[in-house]
Amino acid sequence: MAPRKGEPGRFLYRELAAEFRAQIQSGALAPGDLLPSEQTLMDGRGLARSTVRQAYDLLKAEGLAASKQGKGVYALNPKKIVRNAQKRLSREVWAAGRSIWSIDLEGRDPNAQVEVDADIEAPEYIAGVLGVRRVCRRRRVFSLDERTLQIATSYLPADLACEAGIDQADTGPGGMYARLADVDRAPVDAKERIRARIAMPDEVDVLELGAGACVIVIERTVTDAEGRILEVNEMTLDAARYVLEYDFKL
């Protein structure tokens, strides 16, 4: 039911958000379809601008809508990305030359903007974990269907990165784990630590998040057969778009 102006005790923005949420989830509003403009809803329904903005902010926080300057607010695919750490890091994936991202995205690979600093001074925390002062930093911004999914920054010992050829933007089939295996430093174990927090301003811009949105931060360390740490990777994900899935044998 469309919200009615002026009824005491009613949160009109929640009702407006519920109306469009139902349309997005049912497919009546397809991904990329524009939602009515603020002015349209103000003129057509007599709503306050603040009510419309609160409703749209709620949909953005839920990962159901996004906005772009000059375009307006548009619907997103309501389907969540299921991230299964065990499946995506399996040796069977990268050793076969597949991207670990293809597991998350049902066979699709995202677009990636890659920045590589081949040999830099390690931040203090990273130096403490890796036990080296010179590192290769690989920063990637992944997107799919013009929507940013994740920011990931990896640190590896600079000499190892150079030896394995992963100090370049393109690491080839299977990615950097396959290249590490090529120089007999194959990843064997991985550990992930997960936390959630409010997105920082730069993350809001890059991930195109709504006001007050949360992100999931995953820190992964990867070791070889001798227990030497190969990589520290910090990933920042839009919390509204992901489901984290783990398999356990009990």
Side-chain angles (χ1 to χ4, degrees):
M1 178 185 298
R4 293 186 292 274
K5 183 178 180 181
E7 294 186 21
R10 295 185 65 183
F11 294 93
L12 300 186
Y13 77 93
R14 293 183 183 175
E15 295 186 33
L16 186 62
E19 178 183 337
F20 289 121
R21 183 186 301 114
Q23 293 182 34
I24 293 169
Q25 292 175 337
S26 70
L29 278 171
D33 284 354
L34 285 174
L35 277 64
S37 69
E38 291 180 4
Q39 197 63 51
T40 296
L41 291 171
M42 290 167 61
D43 293 341
R45 302 195 186 186
L47 296 173
R49 188 181 300 275
S50 60
T51 297
V52 180
R53 288 185 176 177
Q54 282 182 292
Y56 283 174
D57 283 344
L58 185 56
L59 293 173
K60 293 175 190 177
E62 295 173 2
L64 296 175
S67 61
K68 284 190 176 180
Q69 186 70 29
K71 182 176 181 180
V73 179
Y74 59 96
L76 296 176
N77 189 335
K79 185 177 181 180
K80 305 295 185 182
I81 298 170
V82 178
R83 182 188 187 276
N84 186 298
Q86 289 92 332
K87 291 178 181 178
R88 75 194 309 267
L89 294 177
S90 169
R91 186 185 184 109
E92 294 178 358
V93 174
W94 50 262
R98 297 171 61 194
S99 162
I100 62 176
W101 272 90
S102 65
I103 303 302
D104 294 350
L105 303 179
E106 301 176 342
R108 303 172 68 187
D109 282 324
N111 296 319
Q113 295 180 351
V114 184
E115 298 176 2
V116 180
D117 296 302
D119 190 343
I120 63 171
E121 183 76 15
E124 183 176 353
Y125 169 71
I126 298 298
V129 175
L130 288 176
V132 298
R133 284 293 175 186
R134 306 300 298 182
V135 294
C136 172
R137 178 174 61 199
R138 298 178 54 85
R139 183 180 187 271
R140 290 90 71 205
V141 178
F142 297 102
S143 60
L144 185 71
D145 299 329
E146 300 184 357
R147 175 73 173 162
T148 305
L149 299 173
Q150 182 184 136
I151 307 165
T153 303
S154 291
Y155 296 89
L156 304 95
D159 56 350
L160 176 60
C162 179
E163 179 186 3
I166 54 181
D167 54 351
Q168 308 295 318
D170 185 359
T171 54
M176 60 184 179
Y177 291 167
R179 301 292 76 74
L180 288 168
D182 290 344
V183 295
D184 298 321
R185 295 292 298 276
V188 171
D189 293 303
K191 177 181 180 179
E192 291 190 344
R193 301 179 66 184
I194 303 168
R195 56 193 172 94
R197 58 169 170 76
I198 299 295
M200 303 296 287
D202 60 325
E203 296 165 344
V204 169
D205 292 340
V206 174
L207 294 171
E208 302 173 63
L209 303 176
C214 291
V215 293
I216 299 169
V217 180
I218 302 175
E219 181 189 277
R220 181 171 69 230
T221 53
V222 176
T223 56
D224 64 12
E226 297 181 13
R228 295 172 294 185
I229 297 178
L230 304 172
E231 175 201 25
V232 179
N233 186 357
E234 183 174 272
M235 295 152 278
T236 305
L237 296 67
D238 178 355
R241 302 195 67 205
Y242 275 86
V243 173
L244 304 186
E245 179 180 82
Y246 294 89
D247 298 323
F248 299 96
K249 290 184 178 180
L250 304 179

